[in-house]
Amino acid sequence: MRKLFLVIVCVALVGCGGQTTDESATEVNPFFADYGTPFNVQPFDRIDEAHFVPAFEEAMTRQNAEITAIVDNPEAPTFDNTIVALDQSGELLGEVSRVFFALSGSNTNDELQGIQKEISPRLAAHKDEIQLNPGLFARVKAVHDEREALDLNREQLFLVENFYDRYVRNGALLNDEDQTRLKEINQRLSQLRVEFSANLLAETNGFKLVIEDKADLSGLPDGVIATAAGKARREGLENAWVFTTHKPSMLPFLTYAENRDLREQLYTAYTVRGNQDNEYDNKTIVAEIVNLRVEKANLLGYETFAHYTLEPRMAGTPENVYKLLDQLWDASLPVAKREVQAMQAIIDAEGGGFELAPWDWWYFAEKVRKAEYDLDDNELRPYFELNNVRDGVFYVANQLYGLTFVELEDMPKPHPDAQVFEVFEADGSHAAVIYMDYHPRESKRGGAWCGRFRSQNRSAGVEVDPVINLVCNFTTATEDTPALLSLDEVETLFHEFGHALDGILANVTYRTGVRSPDFGELPSQIMEHWAMAPEVMKVYAKHYQTGEPIPDELIAKIEKSSTFNQGFIQVEYLAASLLDMEYHTLTEPTDLDINAFEQSYLDEIGLIPEIIPRYRTTYFSHITGGYAAGYYGYVWSGVLDHDAFAAFEETSLFDQKTAQRFRTEILEVSGSKDYMEMWVAFRGREPEIGPLLRNLGLQ
Ligand SMILES: [Zn+2]
């Protein structure tokens, strides 16, 4: 029955599409034809900027027709003809969106940015038309009302409840006037988010520290100097060295450069991004976003935006979030203060004659690290050649879940720099395709992330295999050395690959799932534990020249230093998390002076002047994107990942029973089940904070 229904819809759609779209565009647009690519991956090599707007338009037209068919169905609403049909609708829109937004993040240009500005509000309006369609909601509600009597399985019941809650949370129960206002707010929010990102990218690319006097390089390791020289040459500068506010360029400079003034210049350039009262200023944009969000929450009957957004997450309420953040803040702040004292002692002993400032932290922390832990980043990097680390990631996935990886040549790629792998299950069957794109470029936003070009599902009765997209901003190769990663970058690759595994091992029926940062960082963060496990390091951390595995003595130093600088790491992160919550627990729109608001709040919580939050408001893209009132999610997931990894420590590093349970109870069902139920099914009890506090030395 379901198949027949779909065929009819498709026929109707071809007719619709023909009437409303430019015929010639339809003929050449790769989104409209069979891709004819290996694994049906999107044909990146044939997609160009001009294809996106017509593809988005056609995709929205198709989904509208699908929705109309659901609403106009003369049969009474059923799970299949309403919920499943809804889950299946918008397939083309998903295809186009995933490609477009992936490229906007990792390979953008003026044209794509222009399209993003144009299309984002239209997509928001399209989504609102569906979410606020009264006929559609009536059918969803009818199925929801009788769900207990429908003999649905657990996953189906969850899907019905998820759809119903989603509609209510998106305003389905509001009156016409409020719905109209809600649509306006959503439109405006979508525009503002795009503007914020474009400004941030311009500001990040807009600053370059150009060094022409060799003396100013004093303290910097050869590899860092070579990278900066290469960057200068690419900019057409001879006998010069260029540093930027991209982290792989900035952090080594802050860690090693003896010239304190230049450290200040570079770090300040980083922290004032979006806050320079120029055309790229983000202050009024954030203020408007925050105010529109609280207005939206109030409209929907919630006290604050945080109450609204936390409701479907594991944390549930702002009170629960604050309970965790406050506990950790109180534990971390004294540790950070002790770290300041230790560094100030070094400054004084050297006769520095100044107080430690934020741009000094990395430099003196590195001295502490060398003095107390005898650990030198430069000593480590040769053991972390990028491809070796990647093989280490693959090794862990193999030991835990039996997965294997084969590099694919001649594949369409979202960017020529990306590597592509086919992933196989232990029985040799195809599991997924994964793209890995490692290094910074001006067309890429900062940070590291893992997205999906396609998510696993079998909503339409056929198994759809995942296509994963992992993107980083790692240290690049120089003319003399391959890409040698820092310890942080090693952890990041394992982290992002954990997100990839969440996608690769998904085993759900429906497309529509629930995603939440407070649980969503569990699969990623748990991988960092294996990255640092000595047995695993011995496998992947091989010297890039000699092939010698990392010596025990270095591993011991890494282990010993695992609590090094934790006061800073936690305080820097928690200050940003608390700031995120502070913005989103406003109870009504207010006249927001962003700098004053930020400063007075940070003073109130007692942030020390030597630390600037990991993100200041004007470049805190997590909170303008999907992690609004959600940046706490990393540490909430932190409680979970330390507690989950303890289950392996209690058995063995690759204990097959525990791995199997993690796979079936967490990774396979992710998004299709209540989070606490998932957790308890894996761990046999509710989460405990003890392992996190112990491992971070905060107890
Ligand atoms: Zn993550």
Side-chain angles (χ1 to χ4, degrees), residues 208-211 227-229 231-232 235 237 240-244 249:
K208 286 177 181 67
L209 175 66
V210 181
I211 292 181
T227 306
K231 178 127 188 79
E235 310 252 327
L237 300 167
W241 297 267
V242 169
F243 293 89
T244 68
S249 178

Side-chain angles (χ1 to χ4, degrees), residues 164-203:
Y164 178 79
D165 292 347
R166 207 176 258 229
Y167 277 69
V168 171
R169 287 169 50 75
N170 281 294
L173 296 174
L174 297 182
N175 64 36
D176 287 352
E177 192 189 326
D178 287 349
Q179 284 194 352
T180 304
R181 178 62 191 146
L182 188 66
K183 286 183 200 172
E184 287 168 8
I185 292 174
N186 290 339
Q187 285 275 305
R188 184 69 186 140
L189 280 172
S190 70
Q191 285 168 341
L192 291 167
R193 276 197 293 268
V194 176
E195 284 174 31
F196 181 95
S197 309
N199 286 346
L200 180 53
L201 192 64
E203 288 273 277

Side-chain angles (χ1 to χ4, degrees), residues 61-78:
T61 304
R62 285 193 198 177
Q63 191 175 26
N64 286 337
E66 288 162 342
I67 298 300
T68 304
I70 297 170
V71 176
D72 293 349
N73 189 338
E75 288 172 31
T78 65

Side-chain angles (χ1 to χ4, degrees), residues 495-496 499 521 524 627 634:
H495 175 109
E496 296 308 330
H499 286 304
E521 296 299 330
S524 51
Y627 275 35
Y634 291 95

